[in-house]
Amino acid sequence: MMEKIKNNPKVSVIIPTIGRESLIRTLESVLNQTYQNLEIIITDDTEEGKAKPLIERYLTDPRIKYVINTKYKHGPDGNKNNGLDNITGEYFTFVDDDDIIMPNAIEELLNVAIKGNYSIVFANCVDNIEGEFTGLHYGKDEEVCWLDWLCSRYEREYFFLIKTSILENDRFYDECWGGEGILMLKLFKKAQVSFYLHKALAKIYKVYIGSQDRVSLQYAKQAKRTYLKYVLFLQEFGNDMISHCPKTFIRHSLIGIYYSALVEEYKQAFKWCMDSVKAYPKLFFIPILWTLFCMILPKSFVIKFYENYSKRIRKLLLKMLIGGRSK
């Protein structure tokens, strides 16, 4: 049994939603937490308020706020910003509307944060299909510096608890699609040291390829906004990557080059290609061949190839450019 948490700080739990029926399962996993001093913010990214009928019966709980995103662009980043604008807790976290958190998730992370005076603590997740960890790890609880994040020693999906005071006025770039990592890296840089708890405190509900329900499948459809994500990401952290982990810079540039080709920003694609060659000359052939592939072949073929093999490509790049990591 855990010790009583000192001062009983309020934790804001942001649930960004597009009104999927899985929201009920997600909300109940938050309501069933062993730690109960919560503020639950359900932020709806649909103009018609699609989520409200689903959670109407829960709104009698004074801890729950239901807000519609009318301020920011629609998409994962803008909807999360809408949630951030409404938090009053000393700590905050996000739970997507198709995922759940374990009953002890917030209590465990909050204990670590307070005892170690960490501004950011995080734990792993498991996926619902294979039951495997979704985030890279080293098989133990440990402190993690911001360069571990910058250089992809830790990446993919985790469950985070963040001290609100380090957020300040920073927000996600709502003009991007799926650019949450930019803000997260900024926060890790501010915190410098965070803590990783090696256990699964959340379950990520993945769907099979072909489903149109999952937000991540919208990246190609939102190519311009996804391209912008890589522009802003590499503007913000590219020089740091080149200094500390040039292979990581190449890996992100290659994905940026793909989206550059989709939106016909060939000048930017060429720049990232040359920057990658300069960053790590021994691997010059990888960015050059990939850039030619994306720019010369028909766009429809490039998209189909990337959509069918992106998971394998990313794994291969991770192994070649970063090195093997535990899953």
Side-chain angles (χ1 to χ4, degrees):
M1 188 173 179
M2 290 191 176
E3 300 174 16
K4 186 177 179 180
I5 294 176
K6 185 179 178 182
N7 298 326
N8 197 38
K10 185 195 294 183
V11 176
S12 297
V13 182
I14 299 170
I15 305 177
T17 184
I18 53 174
R20 292 181 279 199
E21 291 188 4
S22 56
L23 171 62
I24 296 172
R25 179 185 64 204
T26 301
L27 177 58
E28 289 184 345
S29 78
V30 177
L31 291 170
N32 291 331
Q33 287 298 295
T34 56
Y35 188 79
Q36 286 286 295
N37 189 16
L38 305 175
E39 171 184 63
I40 304 168
I41 301 166
I42 300 171
T43 175
D44 192 335
D45 206 32
T46 67
E47 294 178 1
E48 68 274 24
K50 187 178 176 182
K52 191 170 184 181
L54 295 173
I55 51 94
E56 191 86 52
R57 67 183 184 272
Y58 296 95
L59 295 179
T60 55
D61 190 322
R63 297 174 300 167
I64 299 177
K65 296 180 182 178
Y66 172 75
V67 290
I68 295 177
N69 175 26
T70 59
K71 180 179 178 181
Y72 298 97
K73 286 192 177 188
H74 293 300
D77 304 275
N79 200 26
K80 288 182 179 179
N81 280 345
N82 193 51
L84 289 174
D85 285 352
N86 285 276
I87 61 177
T88 63
E90 295 176 52
Y91 295 84
F92 71 91
T93 187
F94 296 98
V95 185
D96 288 340
D97 73 346
D98 57 347
D99 300 329
I100 65 170
I101 54 176
M102 306 311 177
N104 59 330
I106 291 175
E107 184 176 7
E108 290 221 30
L109 291 183
L110 191 56
N111 262 309
V112 173
I114 292 173
K115 288 180 181 179
N117 194 28
Y118 296 107
S119 294
I120 303 177
V121 291
F122 62 105
N124 225 308
C125 308
V126 292
D127 71 70
N128 67 305
I129 296 175
E130 298 176 347
E132 295 182 348
F133 283 124
T134 59
L136 301 184
H137 62 85
Y138 294 83
K140 61 181 179 180
D141 298 353
E142 65 177 350
E143 285 191 341
V144 179
C145 73
W146 99 272
L147 288 179
D148 290 326
W149 282 99
L150 178 76
C151 298
S152 299
R153 298 184 186 112
Y154 278 86
E155 66 169 26
R156 298 182 186 166
E157 295 177 281
Y158 304 92
F159 178 57
F160 297 94
L161 187 69
I162 302 169
K163 199 165 188 177
T164 305
S165 59
I166 72 164
L167 180 64
E168 300 175 309
N169 293 319
D170 285 330
R171 291 293 186 271
F172 298 106
Y173 290 108
D174 66 319
E175 62 266 37
C176 294
W177 186 269
E180 295 97 321
I182 301 173
L183 175 61
M184 291 304 296
L185 261 185
K186 284 184 178 181
L187 297 181
F188 277 111
K189 192 171 186 177
K190 288 182 186 180
Q192 286 297 306
V193 177
S194 56
F195 194 88
Y196 168 70
L197 193 61
H198 185 55
K199 56 177 62 178
L201 293 183
K203 181 178 283 189
I204 306 297
Y205 279 79
K206 296 186 178 296
V207 295
Y208 293 101
I209 294 172
S211 170
Q212 297 303 308
D213 194 35
R214 195 164 178 85
V215 171
S216 59
L217 295 179
Q218 301 297 317
Y219 284 116
K221 293 180 181 179
Q222 298 285 349
K224 287 185 178 179
R225 293 173 71 182
T226 308
Y227 160 74
L228 181 59
K229 173 184 76 171
Y230 284 95
V231 171
L232 295 172
F233 179 75
L234 291 170
Q235 281 178 352
E236 184 78 31
F237 302 109
N239 289 336
D240 286 329
M241 287 183 185
I242 290 171
S243 296
H244 298 284
C245 41
K247 291 182 180 180
T248 303
F249 175 82
I250 295 173
R251 188 163 66 100
H252 287 291
S253 292
L254 294 179
I255 302 171
I257 288 166
Y258 165 73
Y259 285 105
S260 298
L262 294 194
V263 299
E264 299 181 357
E265 291 286 351
Y266 300 121
K267 185 176 179 181
Q268 182 63 69
F270 182 74
K271 181 181 183 304
W272 280 333
C273 175
M274 292 299 98
D275 288 345
S276 296
V277 170
K278 292 175 185 176
Y280 204 84
K282 290 182 179 179
L283 295 175
F284 73 93
F285 58 94
I286 293 178
I288 290 175
L289 290 176
W290 178 246
T291 302
L292 292 173
F293 176 86
C294 292
M295 295 173 84
I296 294 175
L297 292 177
K299 193 182 298 184
S300 58
F301 176 83
V302 174
I303 292 173
K304 187 173 182 180
F305 177 86
Y306 189 83
E307 287 182 346
N308 288 338
Y309 298 103
S310 62
K311 189 174 181 180
R312 295 182 188 178
I313 292 169
R314 287 170 190 253
K315 283 185 176 181
L316 179 62
L317 289 173
L318 188 67
K319 187 173 182 180
M320 289 176 61
L321 301 178
I322 310 299
R325 298 285 182 264
S326 298
K327 293 182 181 178

